[in-house]
Structures are given as C-alpha cells and as structure tokens.
Amino acid sequence: MLQSLKAIKNRIRSIENTRKVTSAMQMISATKLSRLDSRLVHNRPFARGIESILSNLLLGRQVSLNPFLEPRPSGERIVLCLITADNGLCGVYNNNVIRQAEDFISRYGWDKVKLVIVGKKGWSYFKNYRESILHSYLGLSGRYSDKVCEELLNNLTSLFLSKQADEVYLVYTRFKNALTNQVVVEKFLNIDIKPGEAKNEYIVEPNISRVMQELIPEYLAARVRLALLEAFTSEHASRLVAMRTATENAKDLLNSLVLLRNKVRQASITREIIEIVSAAEALKG
C-alpha cells in the first residue's frame, strides 16, 4: 500500500511538471500567433489586390514576352516547395502537409519532381531523397523573415527562368482561424491567372510589357510572403490548440490521481486503526 501511495505521488509530481511545460508553451504560442495573425491580416488584402490588378491587365492583352507568363510543358520538370514546421507538438499540422506532398509526388513520380523544403520536419521526412532536395530552409522556428522570403523567392524564380523547372508549386497550410486551417497545393509558376471580368479600365503607360516587368515581381513576392505567413500562423495556432488540450488533459488526470491518492491514504489510515484496535483487544484478552 505504501509503495502504491509513493508511486501515485511521483506520478502526480511528474504530471504537474508536464502541465507547467504545456501551459508555458500554450502562452508562448498565443503570443506568437497574435503577432503573426496581425501581420497576415495586413498582407492578405495587398496580395489579393495585386492579383486582381494583374488579372485585369491580362484581360484581352498579349504579354507573351514576359518569361513568367511563358507556357511550359505540363508535368515534365516540377519543383514542389513545401512549408512545414521546425518543431513538433503541433498536432497533425506537419503530417497533413507531408501527406499532401506525398500525394502530389505520387501523381507525377520522383523522376519528375524536385523539392524545396522549409522546415526541419519536412526535411527529416524526405531526407532519404536528398538528391531530389534542391534547397532547404531550417531553423526558422515559425519566425517570418524578409531575408528568407527573398532568398526563397529568388531560388524558385531562378529554377523556373533557368528552365530547371517547367512548373513550380507551393504546398502549405492556409490559416482560417485558431481552430481551423487547410492544406493547399497552389501553382506558383508559370503565372496562370485566369483573366476575369474587367472591373476597372487601366491606362497603361509607357506600355504593358514595362508595367508587367514591374508588377509581376511584386506579385510573386507577395505570394511567397503570404504563403510563409499563412503557414507559420497555422503552425502556432495548431500548437496553441495542442498545448491547450494537453494542459486540460493533464489537469483532468491530476484531479483523478489526487482523488485516488486520498482514497489510498484513507485506506491506509483505516488499516492502521484496525491493527491498533485489534492489538489492544488482544492485550485485554
């Protein structure tokens, strides 16, 4: 009985320490989520606005001289950029991204797909295919960096312009709210915006090609920036939910263990009283 009581106390102490860790991680994730969510909210309108302008400019115009609009053979040489986390403890966040990447690769085959990986979890999963990994970005820990964004953009566009890739795709997690996110696979290059109905009439000066030379790099930079912000915000939201759930589960487990400890202690005291009473009765007899 005493050994059982000691084991219960040790387990309570262990779970209390775990709860402190998960609670601290929950607060850290909440702070990071708040910071990134604010930045994401400010970047979304810009990215959507520049895409709308580009769509309107493409309506009824031929700008085939721009290399980013050049049509290429489909499904021949593909670069897939997947954005995962550097750390775990964020639920199924990494597994969902990796699963989508696997499905994408299975459709085209390893002989046609090369990888650009953001995050240690994605790199660790695909490290056995190192000859297929062109670039990797590790150690970001969910922190957005303009320098990394620019470097990633330059590498992806260089692969396309040098014709090492005919198509470039992004797979990342799009943030909806703290409880909901969605893994998406989007084509990045070549630019394949479907011209919509013209909402505004633009006077293009000096000419459409010059405007596109200035506008398209801004559009591509906005897309990479938004993908990173969406992914990192989703990562912190997933970790926040996972740590909150872990903290609540630890609290419930602690309550049940405290109740069990009290029952064991009460049983031990009752047994000792019975032994004392029995010994006293024996001495009387």
Side-chain angles (χ1 to χ4, degrees), residues 41-52 218-219 221-222 225:
V41 167
H42 286 88
N43 273 272
R44 272 177 175 166
F46 176 78
R48 291 170 181 169
I50 199 169
E51 182 174 350
S52 176
E218 290 293 332
Y219 164 73
R225 186 186 309 117

Side-chain angles (χ1 to χ4, degrees), residues 198-235:
K199 298 179 181 179
N200 300 292
E201 293 185 4
Y202 297 105
I203 298 174
V204 182
E205 294 290 346
N207 55 64
I208 186 64
S209 296
R210 178 64 183 276
V211 171
M212 286 297 176
Q213 287 177 5
E214 300 292 333
L215 182 63
I216 286 178
E218 290 293 332
Y219 164 73
L220 295 176
R223 285 200 61 188
V224 173
R225 186 186 309 117
L226 188 62
L228 289 173
L229 287 172
E230 294 269 10
F232 292 156
T233 305
S234 299
E235 175 190 341

